[in-house]
Amino acid sequence: QASDTHFLQRLSPSHAAAEMRMMLSIWLVTLGFLATTSALDNGLALTPPMGWLSWERYRCITDCVNFPDECISENLFFRTAKLMATEGYLEAGYEYIIIDDCWLSKERDSEGRLQPDPDRFPSGIKALSDYVHSLGLKFGIYEDYGNLTCAGYPGILGHLETDANTFAEWGVDYIKVDGCNSNLEDMNTGYAEFGSYLNKTGRPIVYSCSLPFYQEISGMK
């Protein structure tokens, strides 16, 4: 999952806002299409969750010097959340705004907890989540059941309980868990184990599990 910076041109703030509106119109997706699996009867995702996921348009653009309006940063998500809340998307049912890969720092903190890139998310994830919730939206995030995410950032393997608690403390409402850089034979039990830790937090979190996709492409049953 490489950066797409090669095809971008730097935009003025007004052009960036116009492009954002266009991209929201094109790429607001029904997130329920990502996977169809059995689910707990816990009141969550009774209908397909709908919202906006950053990957389809912004991929892993992390160069905020040359592409300040397109890079994966808190500014992108603050801006998009406001547009969703004020331009009719929330009213139409698109309630989730979800960060995909590349939001992380390359290292965990001194206590072994995940942390965002300090330059691109200086306010922290909790502050971003709080802002999203203040607009009536729900907040989602990405991780990976592996040593590393698909783009090479810290994965949850070896830190399942800690990371589940971190996401709950941050006010996460939806989590997409990918499967790069992991052992396929461990996925059946590993994804379920992480789900159990999410449940133990007591916070309602929609769990978008990528296990069926990796089973399909590997021929596993």
Side-chain angles (χ1 to χ4, degrees), residues 129-145:
S129 174
D130 287 346
Y131 178 74
V132 167
H133 291 148
S134 76
L135 297 175
L137 294 159
K138 294 180 180 179
F139 178 71
I141 207 163
Y142 166 100
E143 247 299 350
D144 184 283
Y145 181 72

Side-chain angles (χ1 to χ4, degrees), residues 10-91:
R10 185 169 182 170
L11 302 176
S12 68
S14 61
H15 287 164
E19 185 194 25
M20 177 68 73
R21 294 184 183 93
M22 178 183 71
M23 294 305 173
L24 277 169
S25 298
I26 295 172
W27 281 305
L28 278 165
V29 297
T30 301
L31 299 171
F33 292 158
L34 295 175
T36 54
T37 64
S38 59
L40 294 175
D41 183 14
N42 58 8
L44 292 176
L46 298 180
T47 58
M50 299 196 303
W52 183 82
L53 181 73
S54 61
W55 184 259
E56 185 66 29
R57 166 62 178 82
Y58 295 100
R59 302 288 170 162
C60 190
I61 302 169
T62 57
D63 182 356
C64 293
V65 174
N66 291 306
F67 306 102
D69 296 313
E70 294 85 23
C71 67
I72 302 302
S73 68
E74 64 179 37
N75 291 333
L76 173 63
F77 294 95
F78 281 131
R79 188 170 74 243
T80 304
K82 185 174 181 180
L83 286 173
M84 289 180 66
T86 60
E87 298 201 359
Y89 299 102
L90 175 58
E91 185 177 2

Side-chain angles (χ1 to χ4, degrees), residues 56-213:
E56 185 66 29
R57 166 62 178 82
Y58 295 100
R59 302 288 170 162
C60 190
I61 302 169
T62 57
D63 182 356
C64 293
V65 174
N66 291 306
F67 306 102
D69 296 313
E70 294 85 23
C71 67
I72 302 302
S73 68
E74 64 179 37
N75 291 333
L76 173 63
F77 294 95
F78 281 131
R79 188 170 74 243
T80 304
K82 185 174 181 180
L83 286 173
M84 289 180 66
T86 60
E87 298 201 359
Y89 299 102
L90 175 58
E91 185 177 2
Y94 295 95
E95 61 180 344
Y96 289 90
I97 180 168
I98 304 173
I99 307 175
D100 209 280
D101 205 348
C102 305
W103 61 270
L104 289 147
S105 169
K106 287 289 188 177
E107 303 291 338
R108 290 174 176 267
D109 69 15
S110 60
E111 298 180 354
R113 292 162 55 96
L114 295 170
Q115 56 184 345
D117 182 279
D119 296 321
R120 292 183 284 115
F121 292 87
S123 301
I125 299 299
K126 182 63 166 62
L128 177 56
S129 174
D130 287 346
Y131 178 74
V132 167
H133 291 148
S134 76
L135 297 175
L137 294 159
K138 294 180 180 179
F139 178 71
I141 207 163
Y142 166 100
E143 247 299 350
D144 184 283
Y145 181 72
N147 292 310
L148 299 171
T149 71
C150 296
Y153 294 86
I156 65 174
L157 195 61
H159 304 271
L160 303 187
E161 184 172 15
T162 296
D163 293 350
N165 290 333
T166 297
F167 293 133
E169 291 166 10
W170 284 346
V172 169
D173 303 298
Y174 182 110
I175 182 166
K176 170 188 171 183
V177 180
D178 215 331
C180 292
N181 301 302
S182 60
N183 188 331
L184 291 172
E185 295 179 355
D186 295 336
M187 285 186 171
N188 280 327
T189 56
Y191 273 104
E193 183 181 4
F194 184 63
S196 71
Y197 285 129
L198 289 175
N199 285 330
K200 288 178 182 178
T201 68
R203 179 171 182 80
I205 301 175
V206 175
Y207 181 19
S208 178
C209 167
S210 296
L211 174 60
F213 170 75

